[in-house]
Amino acid sequence: MISVPSRPTRRAVLRNAGALLATTALPVDVFAEKGVIPVAQAQEAPFDASTVVSIARELAKKEFVPPPTELPSALAELTYDQYRDIRSDRAKAIWAREGLPFQLQLFHRGFYYENKIDVAIIENDEAHHLAYSPDMFDFGNLVPRPLPTGDIGFAGIRLLGRINQPDKFDEIVVFQGASYFRSLGRNQTYGLSARGLALNTASPEGEEFPLFRSFWVEAPLADSQTVVVHALLDSPSVTGAYRFSIRPGASTVMDVEAVIFPRVELARVGLAPGTSMFFFDANGRDGVDDYRPEVHDSDGLLMLNGRGERLWRPLANPAVLQTSAFVDAAPRGFGLIQRNRDFAAYQDVEAAYERRTTLWVEPVGDWGQGSVTLIEIPSESEIHDNVVAYWAPREPLRAGAEFSLAYRLFWGQEPPLPAGGVHVSATRSGRATLGGPSPVRLFVVDYLATDAQSMAAAADPKALVTASAGKLDHVVMLRNPATGGWRLTFQLDPEDAELIELRAALEFPDRRAAEIWMYRWTS
């Protein structure tokens, strides 16, 4: 089970923190000489756009060196509550006194976060190593003493900006644990996470979790609306250089540029992966005993394929692990979406699932042939992130080669797609007959248009529903007077099938675009 946080609670620290070493902004020749990453040796070093790429390239020629995880005795065995009692001192955040539009805070090492992550600040084309000091943090009474005084490094970074109010700094992005990072848009709460790279996800041999082992953060200008983070990725199988250009707003936008250097052939690699939580909704409440109607960070996978079709796949919490591959060429976008924004659908005042962020991936350039891959893992709790989606290239990434890619991430409400289309607003299913058990299932799919006026004027569509097995019956398309949109209903008799792929497409007389609904039914 993948267990990755998406909000700063117990779930936020119960993640796989990875097992990799940190590095500072060292010249490439040091790596070539030593073959091992020195720790905290370079206080200053020149830095330009090629620095991290050069480090990753040279590092990929060496065997992976497992990281040291030693911590001062007071931090070696922190409990969850003790770790939670260590907080960044907001008054001492980097750039807090300079009046700059962004501030940088650090995460303390300890608990599951044993690995030393080094951080550097870039100013005037120089990388300045950021040394640990206990003065950066507030330590509560639960934290054992004595506090460390040496340069023990950090567990990750968080950036703050004036995203919600002009006079208040709030979190806009967090990098912590393996290559995980998360962000959000204005007036949203943390939900799903992204990763630098996914390797062997849900494979029998076990997943590998690369780590961002070093960060270089560019000092922003006084009028800057963008903050830039560079990161070095490393694992036994691969190294990589990443550049994140982050612009907070109603939707926070990240431009990601990456160069990947495989140490071995990467046959099961996921590019631009997102990781989320889906526990249950109106379409899957079997065995659920919960006062809340729905519990999830994302309710669907949306794809805009290379042919311009919009595909919507509702998420599920399956009885057994499921992998779905949506074959495509030159994808235009994909992402895990939280589409239902109505509090009444969740009734959870604390979790506020209706405010969880959507993550949309927009490739830059032609990503060639491959598939959007969706992995759904059974889960008995909402603390686990059990859904993963990424782009899987058709051909393996060869050992010793270099692969460059660029993409844009949108963290917000709905993804930035053209208005005027018709989208799936809800999916429900249940027993088709009353009064006793029946294998026949009733599916109800609701549709809405983004433009209410054009929706009211549009002629009703024709529904084309197909199933890979079983028998379809009673396909009905009608107006939904409660929403002004359309409702599709149909019955499915699975007969002897264990797995059925369902597909529904709408055809409007005026040829307006409508999402194609896709669903996997399992017995």
Side-chain angles (χ1 to χ4, degrees), residues 398-422:
R398 301 184 311 278
E402 299 185 9
F403 298 89
S404 298
L405 72 152
Y407 53 97
R408 179 168 287 174
L409 299 178
F410 294 86
W411 306 77
Q413 302 272 346
E414 279 288 305
L417 297 174
V422 174

Side-chain angles (χ1 to χ4, degrees), residues 260-522:
I260 298 169
F261 302 90
R263 286 188 170 103
V264 301
E265 181 176 274
L266 304 180
R268 293 177 59 92
V269 59
L271 306 180
T275 303
S276 191
M277 179 275 291
F278 181 90
F279 192 23
F280 62 86
D281 68 0
N283 185 42
R285 292 185 57 88
D286 292 347
V288 172
D289 185 12
D290 198 302
Y291 78 93
R292 300 167 295 181
E294 302 185 20
V295 174
H296 50 74
D297 285 339
S298 308
D299 52 12
L301 170 66
L302 178 63
M303 294 162 280
L304 181 61
N305 65 21
R307 297 183 299 276
E309 296 173 323
R310 287 177 57 165
L311 311 177
W312 175 258
R313 165 69 182 272
L315 297 180
N317 183 358
V320 296
L321 186 146
Q322 291 190 155
T323 299
S324 305
F326 303 90
V327 177
D328 196 8
R332 302 184 191 181
F334 63 93
L336 294 168
I337 311 299
Q338 184 75 319
R339 181 162 280 177
N340 194 334
R341 297 293 178 179
D342 185 359
F343 169 78
Y346 306 99
Q347 294 290 337
D348 194 324
V349 174
E350 180 183 1
Y353 287 113
E354 72 278 2
R355 295 171 55 204
R356 298 299 171 96
T357 188
T358 275
L359 175 60
W360 178 251
V361 181
E362 187 177 277
V364 175
D366 185 348
W367 279 18
Q369 296 183 332
S371 61
V372 175
T373 300
L374 173 67
I375 297 173
E376 297 163 301
I377 304 170
S379 178
E380 296 180 354
S381 172
E382 65 193 279
I383 69 169
H384 300 299
D385 277 11
N386 61 321
V387 175
V388 185
Y390 54 77
W391 174 256
R394 189 179 71 172
E395 300 297 329
L397 305 190
R398 301 184 311 278
E402 299 185 9
F403 298 89
S404 298
L405 72 152
Y407 53 97
R408 179 168 287 174
L409 299 178
F410 294 86
W411 306 77
Q413 302 272 346
E414 279 288 305
L417 297 174
V422 174
H423 66 262
V424 177
S425 61
T427 299
R428 300 174 179 87
S429 67
R431 190 180 60 197
T433 59
L434 301 177
S438 170
V440 180
R441 307 297 296 173
L442 172 66
F443 283 85
V444 179
V445 184
D446 280 320
Y447 296 83
L448 288 173
T450 53
D451 183 345
Q453 184 174 359
S454 69
M455 180 167 63
D460 293 341
K462 177 183 178 181
L464 304 175
V465 184
T466 59
S468 61
K471 178 183 178 182
L472 293 170
D473 203 357
H474 299 291
V475 178
V476 178
M477 192 80 209
L478 71 163
R479 281 277 183 173
N480 185 338
T483 65
W486 299 269
R487 170 165 287 190
L488 165 65
T489 64
F490 64 90
Q491 293 183 10
L492 170 69
D493 184 349
E495 297 180 325
D496 296 328
E498 297 290 327
L499 183 153
I500 301 174
E501 298 288 353
L502 298 168
R503 187 180 190 273
L506 303 187
E507 289 187 354
F508 283 87
D510 60 3
R511 299 185 181 276
R512 68 177 58 206
E515 286 179 354
I516 297 172
W517 177 88
M518 308 178 75
Y519 189 76
R520 174 179 289 179
W521 175 89
T522 56

Side-chain angles (χ1 to χ4, degrees), residues 97-168:
R97 299 180 180 178
E98 285 82 350
L100 297 179
F102 298 97
Q103 296 179 6
L104 172 67
Q105 293 182 349
L106 293 307
F107 286 104
H108 206 285
R109 292 176 65 200
F111 192 49
Y112 285 161
Y113 303 105
E114 298 175 339
N115 301 294
K116 182 175 183 289
I117 305 300
D118 282 356
V119 180
I121 305 298
I122 303 170
E123 293 184 279
N124 300 320
D125 299 324
E126 291 280 335
H128 304 271
H129 173 69
L130 185 61
Y132 167 89
S133 169
D135 293 338
M136 296 175 170
F137 301 91
D138 288 325
F139 297 88
N141 294 330
L142 298 179
V143 182
R145 268 59 171 183
L147 300 174
T149 56
D151 186 6
I152 66 168
F154 306 99
I157 65 174
R158 64 155 60 98
L159 286 158
L160 294 81
R162 301 184 184 96
I163 187 172
N164 298 316
Q165 302 177 30
D167 58 347
K168 182 183 178 183

Side-chain angles (χ1 to χ4, degrees), residues 20-21 31 34-37 58-67 213 234-239 263-264:
L20 299 165
L21 174 64
F31 292 97
K34 303 286 185 180
V36 176
I37 307 298
E58 293 302 315
L59 188 59
K61 299 174 184 177
K62 311 294 182 181
E63 291 186 5
F64 173 70
V65 179
R213 59 195 300 166
D234 195 15
S235 82
S237 299
V238 65
T239 70
R263 286 188 170 103
V264 301

